[in-house]
Amino acid sequence: MSAREGVLTDNGRQPRSDGLLAICAPFYLDDPCTLIDGFGALPEAADLEVALVDDGTADPDLTARVQAALARYPGPGRLLTHDRNAGRAVSRNDLVALVGTTYLLFVDADVTPGRPDFLSRYLAIAANGRVDACYGGLSTKGPVPRDRALALDLVSRIDGRSAYV
């Protein structure tokens, strides 16, 4: 499971793919249900595991909603719930230990696929086997909620920079 103790919820579906790619999202105080439903609507979802780590939100209602969303997800789905926050890096390490795929697609809990070919594009990159890491960019639709404006600005300045600058 993980280096940290936590409660594991598994939706019972077995991976049908070659174990190439898993969608991984750590979260704390965010609701990843829109992420799960958005990725679940894509054609590749039945073959791709979605794995989530709740890094200490301690909200039983949110946990129940995430478990219900995982039950709807057409592919394998797992949720590891912790009672204390340990930080994003620790949660990402938990996700690495939780899945057994060759590649991990890390996304934030508020991400939704912006295009119908979102997963097929990452699967194609992973299938060529010549990548250690890739960054898919950042886009938003509609106005940015006021409580997310600072975070979006920071992410666009840090993650959105070219590696060649």
Side-chain angles (χ1 to χ4, degrees):
M1 183 165 70
S2 167
R4 288 195 294 167
E5 290 296 317
V7 176
L8 180 64
T9 302
D10 188 317
N11 71 2
R13 294 182 186 84
Q14 298 302 311
R16 291 186 243 164
S17 70
D18 59 2
L20 186 62
L21 182 70
I23 304 158
C24 299
F27 68 96
Y28 174 68
L29 302 176
D30 283 323
D31 185 338
C33 291
T34 302
L35 172 146
I36 297 166
D37 291 336
F39 280 101
L42 298 178
E44 301 85 1
D47 294 325
L48 294 177
E49 180 174 358
V50 64
L52 302 117
V53 169
D54 179 347
D55 190 25
T57 301
D59 180 346
D61 292 331
L62 176 61
T63 300
R65 288 193 310 274
V66 174
Q67 290 170 333
L70 284 176
R72 292 189 301 269
Y73 184 75
R78 298 171 125 195
L79 168 65
L80 183 58
T81 306
H82 294 291
D83 58 359
R84 289 180 311 134
N85 181 270
R88 184 177 285 242
V90 173
S91 292
R92 285 183 177 152
N93 289 337
D94 289 340
L95 286 161
V96 170
L98 190 60
V99 299
T101 57
T102 305
Y103 294 100
L104 308 173
L105 175 59
F106 284 101
V107 296
D108 289 336
D110 60 352
V111 164
T112 56
R115 302 165 44 141
D117 64 346
F118 186 94
L119 287 176
S120 64
R121 293 170 64 203
Y122 280 102
L123 282 167
I125 291 167
N128 90 15
R130 297 181 308 194
V131 64
D132 291 325
C134 64
Y135 174 71
L138 173 68
S139 66
T140 61
K141 290 184 178 179
V144 176
R146 192 173 176 92
D147 66 334
R148 298 288 188 169
L150 178 60
L152 178 61
D153 182 61
L154 290 172
V155 167
S156 64
R157 291 174 192 258
I158 296 167
D159 290 344
R161 255 188 306 182
S162 170
Y164 300 106
V165 173

